[in-house]
Amino acid sequence: MPKHILVIEDSRTEALRARLLLEREGFRVSLAADGHEGLSKAAEEKPDLILLDTILPRMNGYETCGRLQIDPRTSAIPVVLLAPADELAGMSVESGLNRFLPKPYDPHSLASRVKELTNGHSGAKQTASPARADEIRRDQDELAQARGDFLANMSHELRTPLHEFMGMLDLALGTALTDEQRAYLDTAKASSNTLLTIVGDILEFSEMEAGQLALDEREVDPWEPVEKTIEIMRPRAEEKGLNLTARLSPDVPRALLGDGNRLRQVLVNLVSNALKFTEQGEVEVKVTRNDEGGTRHETSDAIQHSAFCILHFSVRDTGIGIPPDKQGVIFEPFRQADTSATRRYGGLGLGLATAHYLVQRVGGRLWVESAGAPGQGSVFHFTVTLGKKQSQTPIAQPAVQARSLQILLAEDSPTNQLIAVSNLKKAGHTVVVANNGLVAVKAFETAGQCGSRSAFDVVLMDVAMPELDGLDATRAIREREKSSGGHVPIIAMTAFTTKEYRDKCMQAGMDAYVSKPVRIDELSKIIEPFLTERAEPVAPPVDLKEALEVVGDDVDILRNAVLLASDEIPIQLARLKDALGRQDAAAVEAGAHRLKGVMGNVGGLAAHEAAQQLETMAEQGNLAGGLAGAQALEDHIGRVMAFYANPTWEELARKRVEGSHE
């Protein structure tokens, strides 16, 4: 009976190639397109050997391998990991290198390795010991760390010279130039922007394959990413004489919860692809609501009150179309429907692969419809499930007044210093330059000793610097603030762009993050919150210290308390207003007491005090100012819930808990 080989590989081309090679050698082969399918097939089919690609969507090969080794049903099945050669550098044989096969592999190496391992495992099989399982987990962690470091260093090495080049171009374009000189520099800038896009696409796709791409869920208006996509793509459409339009169905909610930036990224990739392959006619983006298309069979009333909303996006073009036999290939990385198209239309073939991954990442589906005939075009569809945002009381913001900032710039590159200082001074700010992290910490201490109100308004901190890097410099500044008080905003300014480094920056105490090459408009948006002075100081609506003390410093419990409060508050406020309308003092007292407890549980001290005042009034039988008191209470509660509606509160809470336990 032929030996059975399971190939877990997301690239259909590579999977079919492996199957063809192995079937020629007399093996029986089955295929799985990702880690989840591979685990299921391995447990069900019990193959003699598994060939496992290390780069898979959602669950990478190392994690899949770990689960195979831990599961008693599959732990005895030998696994060969198919890994890029750079991942194998520096690994020892003891770490399992004999079970790796570098990609790309030649047919002979594949066949001989499979024969060797299947012949050696035809008899009794042994289950991996707990010690071996722990060793496998450690190997996975080490390999994941090595891959993360490689991506971070690659990002830094590519982006740093690009940042310097593009920054100097911007400075040159701001000087007096002849028309001819300006044309040359504009061309160079356009080319550098194209190169930056290509570098970004490759690095981001690498992050996706390594499972390091994060989602940032917050309030989003579905029309906003569509509108921004049209704004970005319109010049390209006008250049080709194409009509670019967008339509939003009236029943689509305008306030949902999701990652708006990733949604815009998917749309930009799809619209860019449509414009690329369309020579005449139009490209249309359409957004509709598609709750009935979900897996839940709900009534219309249930859908109306569901916590989720399914949206259906479509991008239709009148371009060259895609033949039916090529429609599965286009979502693979570095592939296009026709290889000649690469030469004619350009591109790496990553746009659709990236869009496909992102849509899968948020639990959606991406597919294409096309007759494959020129002029009839294609329609790309995708669905996403977004959370519904509970309505909250709008809060009037106090008046603000713009001002210039005192900025500490920690940067070791003279070129980057020149670019940043020139741009910041043009914007009216004062800049003090520190050549490394150690100098930056000393400058912060010296300014504080001079008695200025907060030393610096903002610190722009490079991460990779000699003597003391930006992470340790930030930790040192935060440590000094524990005794001196205050909190200076620190913004990471670095060419390290992986999720791991973004997390490191936040954990070190930084407040924001901007990747190099830094665009001056992007930097301005980052520091904009610090450009304002409020006409009257406003106390924060929530005392996080108090809230955390109530729940024993457990942020998860506090999150649940907030969710319960968001459900209870509208009910209690309605009852309170009804009691005031009936002049029922006892009911007003009970309602105010209940809301006082809810606000006390989540650290809303001002709201707690407002509820106490209303409770006292009702207890005394005095409801003359009850309506005004209830309105004040509702306003305070609105501010508290608005504070918790911002996802960053959890990060602040965890930092406070970590600081209190050190």
Side-chain angles (χ1 to χ4, degrees), residues 99 107 113 124 166 214 285 289 352 402 447 492 522 600 649:
R99 288 290 176 83
R113 181 61 59 87
M166 296 176 72
V285 181
R289 189 166 177 169
L352 292 179
E522 181 184 2
W649 78 263

Side-chain angles (χ1 to χ4, degrees), residues 340-602:
S340 64
T342 307
R343 294 189 295 272
R344 180 180 177 188
Y345 294 100
L348 293 174
L350 280 177
L352 292 179
T354 300
H356 187 253
Y357 174 89
L358 290 173
V359 171
Q360 282 188 326
R361 185 77 168 76
V362 297
R365 186 169 73 93
L366 172 64
W367 71 99
V368 63
E369 295 175 349
S370 178
Q376 296 185 18
S378 308
V379 184
F380 284 85
H381 304 265
F382 71 93
T383 57
V384 292
T385 302
L386 302 178
K388 289 182 180 177
K389 185 178 182 300
Q390 294 186 350
S391 59
Q392 300 199 355
T393 306
I395 303 170
Q397 295 294 329
V400 296
Q401 179 180 348
R403 64 184 176 94
S404 61
L405 300 177
Q406 180 82 8
I407 297 176
L408 173 60
L409 172 67
E411 171 63 69
D412 63 315
S413 166
T415 305
N416 291 340
Q417 290 175 4
L418 174 62
I419 295 167
V421 170
S422 299
N423 285 318
L424 292 170
K425 284 187 174 180
K426 285 180 182 178
H429 306 305
T430 302
V431 185
V432 174
V433 177
N435 293 323
N436 58 56
L438 193 60
V439 175
V441 174
K442 290 181 179 178
F444 176 81
E445 292 175 336
T446 302
Q449 293 169 359
C450 294
S452 57
R453 53 197 174 103
S454 60
F456 295 100
D457 298 299
V458 180
V459 177
L460 301 179
M461 185 78 74
D462 186 22
V463 171
M465 292 185 291
E467 296 193 51
L468 191 69
D469 66 27
L471 300 177
D472 286 336
T474 298
R475 294 187 186 100
I477 290 174
R478 296 299 182 225
E479 188 64 30
R480 283 154 179 76
E481 286 176 337
K482 290 180 180 178
S483 57
S484 64
H487 180 94
V488 60
I490 302 178
I491 299 172
M493 206 169 58
T494 175
F496 290 109
T497 61
T498 62
K499 175 182 179 294
E500 179 185 4
Y501 266 87
R502 286 193 289 270
D503 291 342
K504 283 183 178 180
C505 290
M506 297 301 107
Q507 291 165 6
M510 295 182 177
D511 300 275
Y513 182 102
V514 59
S515 61
K516 293 179 179 179
V518 178
R519 312 286 182 86
I520 187 60
D521 54 344
E522 181 184 2
L523 183 59
S524 297
K525 288 179 182 178
I526 293 291
I527 67 175
E528 187 175 356
F530 314 116
L531 283 169
T532 58
E533 290 179 328
R534 300 200 175 275
E536 296 180 4
V538 179
V542 172
D543 186 331
L544 266 183
K545 180 182 178 183
E546 181 74 19
L548 289 167
E549 286 180 357
V550 172
V551 297
D553 283 348
D554 192 318
V555 178
D556 293 327
I557 295 178
L558 178 57
R559 187 196 313 112
N560 290 331
V562 171
L563 291 174
L564 292 172
S566 65
D567 291 336
E568 185 176 1
I569 285 169
I571 299 172
Q572 295 298 333
L573 283 175
R575 290 176 179 173
L576 181 64
K577 291 176 181 178
D578 178 67
L580 282 167
R582 293 183 285 104
Q583 291 293 291
D584 186 342
V588 171
E589 180 183 355
H593 180 79
R594 180 64 180 171
L595 287 169
K596 180 181 71 174
V598 172
M599 287 295 98
N601 288 338
V602 297

